Amino acid sequence: MLLCIDCGNTNTVFSIWDGTSFIATWRTSTEHQRTADQYYVWLSTLMNFQKIEADITEVIISSTVPRVVFNLRVFSDRYFNCRPLVVGKPECRLPVDVRVDAGTQVGPDRLVNTVAGFNKYGGDLIVVDFGTATTFDVVDTDGAYVGGVIAPGVNLSLQALHEAAAALPHVDVTKPARVVGTNTVACMQSGVFWGYVGLVNGVCARIKEERARPMKVISTGGLAPLFQQGDALFDHFEDDLTMHGLTVIHQYNKELGSS
């Protein structure tokens, strides 16, 4: 079976793929000092607790935090006796082109989302990922990644607001009952929620105008369902878009290796 690992700036997700579907998914905080042994104790404990018996023989990793990759490589080698495929490394081939300025390094998560979006919906896409940063990835007609937009993430914006203004509390993200707040918390929630609805609407509209063609908007990330309530922002929501992309990339490299 295949173990897919998506390591983001805030959380790391582990999913086991049996070739047809994901049989289990777990999430933990991203900590660069976590050792290979600690990863295994955490994962094996959860597998035992849920009575999941999986013969993991292959691993694929996407990581926006370079410092964690070494320990994840050791984890794969020591406990599953395999060399992991790491998105962004030369040995990991992509089934789509990357057409950006020479020397530009594109985040592995954005490449994986591009592959997944194209595999599911074809070309001419905007993939909006609500993570630590809010990213907009543009997928060309042939599936190529051709650039995008990076904005501060929702929780990052709330944290900055709370830390920079002594009188403002930390609040949860939610859809407010009204646009005009009548207390501090409601005002902040309205500003963040409707501000990001406006951000997504505005950026996607300008991308479509610049590209001069119809484009589907696909959302992913933990807060995507919340912002779907604001307007008809997205054509589709994909909870496991990144994980799906990892399985597509793994299969593509496997087929290349056997040909």
Side-chain angles (χ1 to χ4, degrees):
M1 291 186 186
L2 173 66
L3 176 63
C4 299
I5 304 174
D6 173 33
C7 178
N9 290 294
T10 304
N11 293 314
T12 300
V13 181
F14 291 69
S15 290
I16 300 176
W17 174 256
D18 67 359
T20 303
S21 61
F22 289 107
I23 62 172
T25 296
W26 302 281
R27 185 180 301 267
T28 184
S29 58
T30 299
E31 298 176 6
H32 70 269
Q33 70 272 23
R34 186 171 291 168
T35 66
D37 300 329
Q38 288 173 314
Y39 278 119
Y40 182 72
V41 169
W42 172 81
L43 183 63
S44 60
T45 300
L46 288 171
M47 290 176 65
N48 289 334
F49 179 76
Q50 293 183 230
K51 296 181 172 56
I52 293 174
E53 296 182 5
D55 182 18
I56 297 171
T57 57
E58 298 171 294
V59 178
I60 184 169
I61 300 168
S62 169
S63 176
T64 58
V65 186
R67 288 184 294 176
V68 307
V69 174
F70 174 78
N71 283 331
L72 287 172
R73 283 183 182 273
V74 175
F75 162 72
S76 302
D77 179 65
R78 181 176 298 168
Y79 292 104
F80 303 118
N81 195 32
C82 70
R83 179 182 177 84
L85 195 61
V86 181
V87 179
K89 298 299 182 183
E91 64 272 16
C92 181
R93 304 287 296 276
L94 298 176
V96 300
D97 288 335
V98 180
R99 295 198 284 266
V100 295
D101 294 343
T104 300
Q105 288 191 332
V106 181
D109 56 330
R110 306 181 76 181
L111 298 175
V112 174
N113 284 347
T114 295
V115 170
F118 181 65
N119 179 262
K120 278 182 168 285
Y121 299 104
D124 293 323
L125 304 178
I126 304 169
V127 180
V128 185
D129 190 346
F130 290 90
T132 304
T134 300
T135 59
F136 300 75
D137 298 315
V138 180
V139 184
D140 209 346
T141 306
D142 63 351
Y145 174 84
V146 293
V149 176
I150 301 176
V154 178
N155 287 316
L156 195 61
S157 295
L158 278 172
Q159 181 182 342
L161 195 61
H162 168 61
E163 292 178 353
L168 297 181
H170 180 76
V171 300
D172 293 328
V173 186
T174 187
K175 181 183 179 181
R178 301 168 58 190
V179 176
V180 179
T182 53
N183 57 68
T184 301
V185 170
C187 288
M188 292 175 67
Q189 289 175 332
S190 184
V192 170
F193 182 83
W194 291 112
Y196 271 85
V197 168
L199 170 72
V200 173
N201 264 330
V203 170
C204 289
R206 288 185 176 272
I207 291 173
K208 291 176 182 178
E209 182 181 358
E210 187 171 279
R211 301 286 292 171
R213 67 189 68 174
M215 302 186 75
K216 298 188 192 75
V217 181
I218 314 301
S219 70
T220 191
L223 290 175
L226 171 67
F227 284 96
Q228 183 65 48
Q229 301 176 48
D231 266 320
L233 292 178
F234 316 116
D235 295 299
H236 302 281
F237 164 69
E238 290 289 341
D239 183 44
D240 59 351
L241 187 69
T242 305
M243 286 299 171
H244 175 71
L246 287 174
T247 66
V248 174
I249 293 171
H250 177 267
Q251 183 62 32
Y252 178 73
N253 281 266
K254 198 169 183 179
E255 290 172 357
L256 285 178
S258 61
S259 61

